[in-house]
Amino acid sequence: MNGTFVGRVGIPGVGPAVVYVHSGLVYDITSRECPTMRDLLELDDPAAYAKTAKRTLLGPLDEIEASTRESGSGCKLLAPIDLQAVKACGVTFARSTIERVIEERSGGDPNLASRIRQDIVAIVGTSLRDLKAGSADAARVKAALIKEGLWSQYLEVGIGPDAEVFTKAQPMSSVGHMSQCGLHPASHWNNPEPEIVLAIDSLGRVKGAALGNDVNLRDIEGRSALLLGKAKDNNASCAIGPFIRLFDESYSIENVRSAKLDLRVEGIDGFVLTGSSSMSEISRDPLDLVTQAIGRHHQYPDGLVLFLGTLFAPTEDRDEPGQGFTHKPGDRVLISNDALGTLENRMQSTDACPPWEFGTAALMRNLAGRNLI
């Protein structure tokens, strides 16, 4: 695949390395100038640096992928970020806005979701699809929905002037391509959320993009929006990867605006779910979301990554009629985009996934021991 791809790899007996991926090979480009992905993304032109940096070959990408998948003794792919804050935007698509209202109205009970969905769509229809969030037309729709008794906190952030921006996970806690991805066992109604993830430096400049899975516990958030932290920030429940594609002459924010994401879920029970999410249907421009996440009122000295939300909200029944879709342990989730590759993860209970033990302090000690800081 053409483009400038960077990421992180765990090297046995050494530690995490910043890598450049080219022609199916993975190169270590870690240095005192760029010991972390944070430092690479702070450069004015990280793509130019990655292409010309001193490098050491780690091996073919397919061998490192296999070692990661099989928990082998070799190098392993990590999430392609390190010190960045991990933020996410919710209800940025009309269809997902409706699904959030359904979660709220049903109190997180999937048994009620089908009937409530019919009632809401009968009144709203697809009138939200072409609305620009915060516009005069959106204000008129808001007034009409209030009149019908259908206004919701989710509709407020879906079509109102202010986006929902929340903390998805802690720095260093995200998992990468081929890793296990966590589902809290308290949840019995949940789904993957295939999303574009922007890589943003401390000045608010977008430097590239990756794929992400913003795992969604529909029943927990549906009980109360105040449970968003419990629904979102759990062990191994944030997957990003496989790499960051840096902006260069071949890839820019325009490609993000027109991107299509494909999703495939393969259950060990033989169940298969497919779907897609098209960024062309987003209700807010990606750069508007960036300005709402970082600026004079929100500083991130180590930069951030920002999940842009998803159009995907599965309603297909997996087991009982009317129950909709929910994950089962062992589900294989593949999120794909022609320009960004494929992010693959295997779903497991959060307490069955490897515990998060390597944090910021461990990274600093490791880099100091390698004379990189």
Side-chain angles (χ1 to χ4, degrees):
M1 184 182 299
N2 295 325
T4 309
F5 292 87
V6 293
R8 293 170 66 244
V9 164
I11 303 175
V14 177
V18 179
V19 300
Y20 170 58
V21 183
H22 182 67
S23 298
L25 299 175
V26 180
Y27 298 92
D28 180 0
I29 59 170
T30 315
S31 67
R32 285 187 65 87
E33 183 179 2
C34 288
T36 67
M37 183 60 71
R38 177 266 181 203
D39 293 301
L40 177 61
L41 295 180
E42 287 294 309
L43 298 176
D44 289 334
D45 191 348
Y49 177 89
K51 293 173 183 176
T52 59
K54 181 180 178 181
R55 63 185 68 172
T56 301
L57 178 63
L58 294 179
L61 174 58
D62 56 359
E63 291 183 7
I64 295 176
E65 285 181 327
S67 179
T68 307
R69 182 191 300 111
E70 298 162 7
S71 298
S73 58
C75 294
K76 295 180 177 60
L77 293 170
L78 306 174
I81 61 170
D82 38 47
L83 299 178
Q84 294 87 350
V86 185
K87 310 293 286 189
C89 296
V91 289
T92 52
F93 290 81
R95 193 184 308 169
S96 66
T97 299
I98 295 299
E99 288 301 313
R100 292 299 179 273
V101 176
I102 291 167
E103 290 168 13
E104 180 185 44
R105 295 278 171 144
S106 67
D109 184 352
N111 294 299
L112 302 177
S114 179
R115 176 180 57 80
I116 295 172
R117 183 178 295 109
Q118 293 175 5
D119 293 343
I120 291 178
V121 172
I123 297 173
V124 177
T126 59
S127 62
L128 298 181
R129 182 177 300 278
D130 298 321
L131 280 183
K132 178 176 174 58
S135 67
D137 286 341
R140 284 191 286 271
V141 170
K142 175 180 178 177
L145 289 167
I146 290 174
K147 184 178 179 180
E148 294 291 341
L150 278 175
W151 190 247
S152 159
Q153 57 198 336
Y154 292 106
L155 287 167
E156 178 63 46
V157 296
I159 65 176
D162 298 317
E164 178 190 18
V165 183
F166 61 91
T167 297
K168 166 61 182 179
Q170 305 309 306
M172 300 288 296
S173 71
S174 301
V175 298
H177 180 49
M178 296 293 178
S179 296
Q180 293 181 349
C181 194
L183 286 168
H184 198 296
S187 174
H188 303 286
W189 185 25
N190 47 66
N191 62 260
E193 290 194 338
E195 304 189 22
I196 295 281
V197 183
L198 296 182
I200 306 162
D201 73 7
S202 62
L203 298 179
R205 301 176 296 182
V206 183
K207 296 299 183 65
L211 298 173
N213 186 357
D214 178 16
V215 178
N216 182 29
L217 308 185
R218 303 189 68 177
D219 46 359
I220 290 178
E221 186 179 350
R223 282 162 46 204
S224 170
L226 298 180
L227 293 174
L228 181 64
K230 183 177 180 65
K232 291 293 187 180
D233 188 2
N234 296 297
N235 183 44
S237 292
C238 178
I240 301 174
F243 305 102
I244 294 172
R245 182 168 184 175
L246 296 174
F247 285 178
D248 59 13
E249 66 279 357
S250 70
Y251 189 74
S252 71
I253 194 67
E254 292 302 324
N255 299 94
V256 171
R257 290 186 173 115
S258 61
K260 179 185 176 184
L261 279 66
D262 293 312
L263 172 79
R264 182 178 178 86
V265 178
E266 300 172 351
I268 57 176
D269 58 354
F271 177 86
V272 175
L273 174 73
T274 59
S276 63
S277 180
S278 176
M279 286 293 296
S280 64
E281 294 189 41
I282 197 169
S283 302
R284 301 179 190 272
D285 186 75
L287 293 185
D288 173 52
L289 295 173
V290 172
T291 61
Q292 294 208 37
I294 182 173
R296 292 184 63 190
H297 305 292
H298 303 278
Q299 289 85 41
Y300 297 97
D302 294 315
L304 71 150
V305 292
L306 184 65
F307 283 74
L308 296 180
T310 185
L311 177 66
F312 180 73
T315 59
E316 180 181 346
D317 292 331
R318 182 168 192 171
D319 293 314
E320 298 296 324
Q323 289 280 314
F325 171 84
T326 196
H327 272 303
K328 293 184 179 181
D331 281 354
R332 180 173 177 245
V333 178
L334 300 101
I335 298 171
S336 303
N337 170 262
D338 289 343
L340 298 176
T342 298
L343 172 64
E344 177 181 336
N345 299 99
R346 184 78 66 173
M347 305 306 298
Q348 294 293 347
S349 174
T350 48
D351 54 358
C353 293
W356 174 36
E357 298 175 331
F358 193 91
T360 304
L363 176 63
M364 294 300 102
R365 293 188 184 100
N366 176 272
L367 295 176
R370 293 157 61 188
N371 198 33
L372 288 171
I373 58 173

XYZ file of all heavy atoms in Angstrom, residues 26-91:
492
model
N 9.223 -3.512 8.108
C 9.091 -2.649 9.275
C 10.481 -2.227 9.735
O 11.346 -3.071 9.993
C 8.345 -3.368 10.424
C 8.207 -2.449 11.628
C 6.966 -3.835 9.950
N 10.676 -0.903 9.859
C 11.979 -0.355 10.228
C 11.877 0.422 11.544
O 10.955 1.225 11.727
C 12.485 0.597 9.147
C 12.704 -0.041 7.799
C 11.690 -0.041 6.847
C 13.920 -0.622 7.478
C 11.890 -0.610 5.596
C 14.135 -1.202 6.222
C 13.105 -1.186 5.288
O 13.301 -1.761 4.051
N 12.834 0.219 12.414
C 12.939 0.970 13.658
C 13.597 2.318 13.353
O 14.718 2.377 12.855
C 13.780 0.169 14.659
C 13.942 0.876 16.001
O 13.405 1.985 16.183
O 14.617 0.293 16.877
N 12.891 3.426 13.639
C 13.461 4.762 13.425
C 13.547 5.535 14.752
O 13.659 6.754 14.764
C 12.645 5.575 12.394
C 11.187 5.749 12.840
C 12.711 4.915 11.016
C 10.390 6.737 11.983
N 13.488 4.828 15.876
C 13.594 5.461 17.186
C 14.945 6.154 17.328
O 15.973 5.599 16.958
C 13.441 4.427 18.308
O 12.348 3.560 18.005
C 13.201 5.100 19.646
N 14.938 7.364 17.869
C 16.185 8.116 18.058
C 16.002 9.085 19.214
O 14.892 9.268 19.729
C 16.534 8.898 16.788
O 15.575 9.929 16.562
N 17.096 9.744 19.598
C 16.984 10.769 20.636
C 16.135 11.944 20.158
O 15.488 12.616 20.962
C 18.370 11.266 21.059
C 19.131 10.283 21.945
C 20.423 10.888 22.471
N 20.169 12.016 23.358
C 19.953 11.926 24.675
N 19.936 10.730 25.259
N 19.761 13.003 25.393
N 16.123 12.186 18.866
C 15.286 13.261 18.320
C 13.814 12.886 18.367
O 12.960 13.729 18.653
C 15.697 13.570 16.884
C 14.923 14.730 16.269
C 15.366 15.044 14.853
O 16.252 14.333 14.322
O 14.831 16.010 14.278
N 13.518 11.621 18.093
C 12.135 11.137 18.098
C 12.062 9.810 18.860
O 11.899 8.737 18.253
C 11.617 10.955 16.675
S 11.303 12.493 15.804
N 12.159 9.863 20.190
C 12.079 8.628 20.966
C 10.657 8.103 21.106
O 10.461 6.940 21.452
C 12.644 9.030 22.328
C 12.342 10.492 22.433
C 12.466 11.029 21.037
N 9.667 8.964 20.857
C 8.263 8.567 20.996
C 7.480 9.000 19.764
O 7.923 9.862 18.987
C 7.614 9.217 22.233
O 7.538 10.643 22.024
C 8.398 8.919 23.501
N 6.296 8.427 19.603
C 5.413 8.864 18.527
C 4.987 10.312 18.754
O 4.821 11.075 17.793
C 4.191 7.952 18.446
C 3.249 8.280 17.299
S 4.017 8.171 15.657
C 4.216 6.387 15.530
N 4.848 10.686 20.007
C 4.522 12.077 20.314
C 5.547 13.010 19.690
O 5.212 14.024 19.077
C 4.462 12.260 21.826
C 4.194 13.688 22.273
C 5.473 14.449 22.564
N 5.196 15.806 23.022
C 6.046 16.812 22.927
N 7.258 16.616 22.399
N 5.719 18.017 23.377
N 6.835 12.691 19.843
C 7.896 13.552 19.315
C 7.889 13.584 17.794
O 8.134 14.628 17.179
C 9.257 13.083 19.835
C 9.385 13.281 21.335
O 9.269 14.424 21.799
O 9.589 12.283 22.045
N 7.626 12.453 17.170
C 7.562 12.412 15.714
C 6.440 13.308 15.201
O 6.631 14.094 14.258
C 7.360 10.979 15.235
C 7.196 10.790 13.716
C 8.432 11.257 12.961
C 6.891 9.335 13.386
N 5.268 13.229 15.827
C 4.127 14.004 15.352
C 4.261 15.488 15.642
O 3.576 16.306 15.022
C 2.832 13.460 15.967
C 2.452 12.034 15.565
C 1.155 11.618 16.232
C 2.352 11.892 14.052
N 5.133 15.871 16.557
C 5.355 17.286 16.837
C 6.205 17.963 15.760
O 6.252 19.190 15.683
C 6.023 17.463 18.204
C 5.093 17.216 19.379
C 3.971 18.238 19.470
O 4.254 19.452 19.443
O 2.799 17.816 19.548
N 6.878 17.193 14.923
C 7.679 17.770 13.851
C 6.786 18.471 12.833
O 5.634 18.086 12.624
C 8.491 16.684 13.155
C 9.521 15.931 14.005
C 10.159 14.823 13.178
C 10.576 16.877 14.545
N 7.324 19.497 12.185
C 6.549 20.194 11.165
C 6.196 19.273 10.004
O 5.111 19.377 9.430
C 7.330 21.416 10.652
C 7.409 22.536 11.677
O 6.510 22.608 12.546
O 8.363 23.333 11.613
N 7.108 18.376 9.643
C 6.860 17.456 8.528
C 7.285 16.043 8.940
O 8.355 15.566 8.560
C 7.632 17.901 7.290
C 7.213 17.146 6.026
O 6.504 16.128 6.152
O 7.609 17.570 4.932
N 6.454 15.362 9.737
C 6.836 14.015 10.194
C 6.989 13.014 9.056
O 7.780 12.081 9.153
C 5.706 13.630 11.146
C 4.555 14.495 10.772
C 5.141 15.777 10.272
N 6.235 13.198 7.964
C 6.346 12.264 6.843
C 7.737 12.334 6.219
O 8.353 11.297 5.921
C 5.279 12.566 5.799
N 8.246 13.546 6.024
C 9.587 13.695 5.452
C 10.633 13.092 6.379
O 11.582 12.429 5.929
C 9.882 15.169 5.190
N 10.479 13.289 7.674
C 11.433 12.724 8.634
C 11.409 11.198 8.579
O 12.457 10.548 8.542
C 11.108 13.204 10.044
C 12.020 12.606 11.094
C 13.214 13.231 11.434
C 11.701 11.404 11.735
C 14.079 12.669 12.377
C 12.544 10.843 12.670
C 13.729 11.482 12.994
O 14.581 10.926 13.912
N 10.202 10.613 8.591
C 10.090 9.150 8.615
C 10.748 8.518 7.392
O 11.378 7.457 7.482
C 8.628 8.743 8.700
N 10.637 9.181 6.243
C 11.183 8.620 5.006
C 12.715 8.674 4.962
O 13.345 7.881 4.255
C 10.610 9.362 3.806
C 9.118 9.152 3.589
C 8.612 10.062 2.483
C 7.108 9.942 2.292
N 6.591 10.882 1.276
N 13.290 9.613 5.685
C 14.743 9.818 5.582
C 15.508 9.483 6.861
O 16.737 9.558 6.885
C 15.033 11.281 5.209
O 14.481 12.152 6.209
C 14.418 11.625 3.858
N 14.806 9.112 7.922
C 15.461 8.848 9.207
C 16.364 7.618 9.123
O 16.121 6.692 8.338
C 14.407 8.640 10.289
N 17.391 7.608 9.952
C 18.235 6.428 10.085
C 17.370 5.270 10.567
O 16.566 5.441 11.496
C 19.360 6.698 11.074
C 20.312 5.525 11.249
C 21.412 5.858 12.242
C 22.344 4.673 12.448
N 23.415 4.984 13.433
N 17.515 4.124 9.961
C 16.592 3.026 10.246
C 17.315 1.701 10.423
O 18.411 1.485 9.889
C 15.563 2.904 9.127
C 16.178 2.553 7.779
C 15.169 2.546 6.650
N 14.672 3.879 6.356
C 13.897 4.170 5.304
N 13.524 3.203 4.471
N 13.492 5.399 5.088
N 16.654 0.813 11.170
C 17.129 -0.554 11.363
C 15.987 -1.503 11.023
O 14.873 -1.364 11.558
C 17.572 -0.791 12.817
O 18.613 0.123 13.159
C 18.069 -2.218 12.995
N 16.235 -2.447 10.161
C 15.187 -3.381 9.754
C 14.818 -4.305 10.909
O 15.679 -4.952 11.501
C 15.664 -4.212 8.559
C 14.690 -5.280 8.040
C 13.420 -4.629 7.509
C 15.360 -6.136 6.959
N 13.513 -4.375 11.208
C 13.014 -5.306 12.225
C 12.486 -6.593 11.616
O 12.472 -7.634 12.277
C 11.907 -4.638 13.048
C 12.329 -3.454 13.928
C 11.121 -2.890 14.662
C 13.415 -3.863 14.917
N 12.025 -6.508 10.363
C 11.545 -7.720 9.706
C 10.327 -7.455 8.849
O 9.789 -6.339 8.803
N 9.864 -8.482 8.138
C 8.658 -8.350 7.321
C 7.425 -8.098 8.187
O 7.290 -8.668 9.282
C 8.556 -9.706 6.609
C 9.928 -10.286 6.688
C 10.490 -9.803 7.993
N 6.528 -7.272 7.690
C 5.316 -6.941 8.437
C 4.486 -8.190 8.718
O 3.954 -8.345 9.832
C 4.479 -5.928 7.661
C 3.113 -5.582 8.241
C 3.237 -5.038 9.654
C 2.384 -4.588 7.334
N 4.369 -9.095 7.752
C 3.511 -10.264 7.974
C 4.043 -11.153 9.097
O 3.266 -11.766 9.842
C 3.314 -11.062 6.685
C 4.620 -11.513 6.037
O 5.705 -11.190 6.578
O 4.559 -12.185 4.987
N 5.375 -11.208 9.271
C 5.926 -12.001 10.366
C 5.646 -11.342 11.720
O 5.362 -12.043 12.708
C 7.431 -12.187 10.170
C 7.796 -13.080 8.996
C 9.285 -13.307 8.884
O 10.030 -12.867 9.807
O 9.723 -13.912 7.880
N 5.720 -10.033 11.780
C 5.440 -9.327 13.033
C 3.950 -9.414 13.356
O 3.564 -9.570 14.524
C 5.922 -7.869 12.939
C 7.443 -7.844 12.795
C 5.475 -7.061 14.154
C 8.027 -6.462 12.595
N 3.094 -9.354 12.330
C 1.659 -9.542 12.555
C 1.389 -10.932 13.120
O 0.599 -11.087 14.067
C 0.892 -9.356 11.244
C 0.760 -7.916 10.796
C -0.036 -7.805 9.507
O 0.057 -8.733 8.662
O -0.739 -6.806 9.329
N 2.020 -11.937 12.559
C 1.815 -13.310 13.030
C 2.295 -13.471 14.462
O 1.638 -14.131 15.285
C 2.544 -14.293 12.114
N 3.429 -12.874 14.800
C 3.947 -12.957 16.164
C 3.001 -12.282 17.145
O 2.803 -12.754 18.268
C 5.327 -12.306 16.241
O 5.842 -12.347 17.558
N 2.384 -11.187 16.705
C 1.421 -10.484 17.569
C 0.174 -11.326 17.771
O -0.299 -11.502 18.892
C 1.042 -9.135 16.946
O 2.223 -8.381 16.648
C 0.165 -8.333 17.896
N -0.352 -11.865 16.682
C -1.585 -12.663 16.749
C -1.404 -13.905 17.600
O -2.285 -14.273 18.387
C -2.026 -13.069 15.343
C -3.325 -13.872 15.311
C -3.582 -14.490 13.946
N -3.699 -13.521 12.883
C -2.800 -13.368 11.910
N -1.699 -14.115 11.887
N -2.985 -12.486 10.963
N -0.259 -14.529 17.479
C -0.025 -15.810 18.152
C 0.686 -15.663 19.495
O 1.039 -16.665 20.121
C 0.809 -16.695 17.222
C 0.108 -17.006 15.899
C 1.064 -17.493 14.822
O 2.258 -17.707 15.157
O 0.629 -17.634 13.665
N 0.871 -14.400 19.939
C 1.604 -14.130 21.192
C 2.957 -14.836 21.186
O 3.363 -15.468 22.167
C 0.772 -14.581 22.407
O -0.432 -13.863 22.477
N 3.642 -14.719 20.040
C 4.934 -15.364 19.893
C 6.032 -14.611 20.627
O 5.799 -13.622 21.320
N 7.256 -15.057 20.453
C 8.386 -14.485 21.184
C 9.048 -13.331 20.446
O 9.982 -12.720 20.965
C 9.442 -15.571 21.439
O 9.891 -16.136 20.210
N 8.575 -13.028 19.229
C 9.199 -11.980 18.436
C 8.605 -10.609 18.692
O 7.916 -10.371 19.691
N 8.887 -9.694 17.781
C 8.345 -8.333 17.880
C 6.822 -8.366 17.795
O 6.240 -9.237 17.139
C 8.906 -7.473 16.752
S 10.679 -7.165 16.847
N 6.201 -7.382 18.451
C 4.738 -7.320 18.471
C 4.258 -5.911 18.168
O 4.844 -4.919 18.636
C 4.196 -7.762 19.834
C 4.462 -9.219 20.163
C 3.910 -9.590 21.518
C 4.116 -11.071 21.795
N 5.542 -11.433 21.770
N 3.202 -5.835 17.386
C 2.614 -4.547 17.063
C 1.938 -3.953 18.304
O 1.261 -4.657 19.054
C 1.582 -4.700 15.947
C 2.138 -5.110 14.580
C 1.003 -5.454 13.637
C 2.997 -4.004 13.998
N 2.126 -2.665 18.487
C 1.478 -1.922 19.560
C 0.542 -0.892 18.949
O 0.574 -0.634 17.739
C 2.530 -1.220 20.423
C 3.649 -2.083 21.016
C 4.680 -1.194 21.706
C 3.070 -3.111 21.984
N -0.287 -0.268 19.773
C -1.050 0.871 19.295
C -0.065 1.921 18.786
O 0.999 2.123 19.384
C -1.909 1.444 20.408
N -0.372 2.617 17.696
C 0.594 3.537 17.092
C 0.695 4.894 17.788
O 1.172 5.860 17.191
C 0.067 3.685 15.665
C -1.405 3.525 15.805
C -1.589 2.479 16.883
N 0.269 4.978 19.033
C 0.367 6.214 19.801
C 0.977 5.889 21.158
O 1.013 4.731 21.574
C -1.004 6.883 19.996
C -1.954 5.951 20.776
C -1.611 7.258 18.654
C -3.238 6.612 21.213
N 1.465 6.917 21.847
C 1.996 6.675 23.191
C 1.531 7.732 24.182
O 0.617 7.494 24.960
C 3.528 6.533 23.183
C 4.235 7.470 22.235
O 3.913 8.671 22.231
O 5.129 7.012 21.499
N 2.091 8.939 24.170
C 1.790 9.926 25.204
C 0.550 10.770 24.913
O 0.122 11.554 25.759
C 2.997 10.859 25.381
C 4.287 10.176 25.826
C 5.417 11.188 25.914
C 4.092 9.473 27.160
N -0.040 10.606 23.758
C -1.191 11.421 23.384
C -2.422 11.128 24.248
O -2.662 9.985 24.655
C -1.569 11.172 21.915
C -0.546 11.630 20.910
C 0.508 10.577 20.625
O 0.615 9.550 21.296
N 1.310 10.815 19.599
N -3.198 12.178 24.503
C -4.525 11.981 25.086
C -5.401 11.266 24.059
O -5.235 11.451 22.851
C -5.143 13.325 25.458
N -6.331 10.452 24.537
C -7.214 9.704 23.640
C -8.633 10.233 23.837
O -9.291 9.960 24.843
C -7.164 8.193 23.919
C -7.999 7.433 22.888
C -5.719 7.689 23.896
N -9.084 11.014 22.866
C -10.398 11.657 22.932
C -11.301 11.088 21.836
O -10.824 10.522 20.849
C -10.263 13.172 22.755
C -9.215 13.820 23.657
C -9.608 13.769 25.120
C -10.719 14.763 25.427
N -10.953 14.866 26.900
N -12.596 11.271 22.011
C -13.548 10.749 21.035
C -14.754 11.662 20.944
O -15.140 12.314 21.911
C -13.986 9.332 21.412
N -15.342 11.684 19.764
C -16.576 12.433 19.526
C -17.721 11.448 19.347
O -17.570 10.432 18.655
C -16.448 13.304 18.279
S -15.207 14.587 18.420
N -18.840 11.757 19.963
C -20.005 10.889 19.860
C -21.111 11.522 19.042
O -21.112 12.737 18.820
N -22.034 10.707 18.593
C -23.238 11.095 17.848
C -22.935 12.148 16.788
O -23.573 13.193 16.719
C -24.385 11.540 18.783
C -24.943 10.362 19.518
C -23.959 12.609 19.792
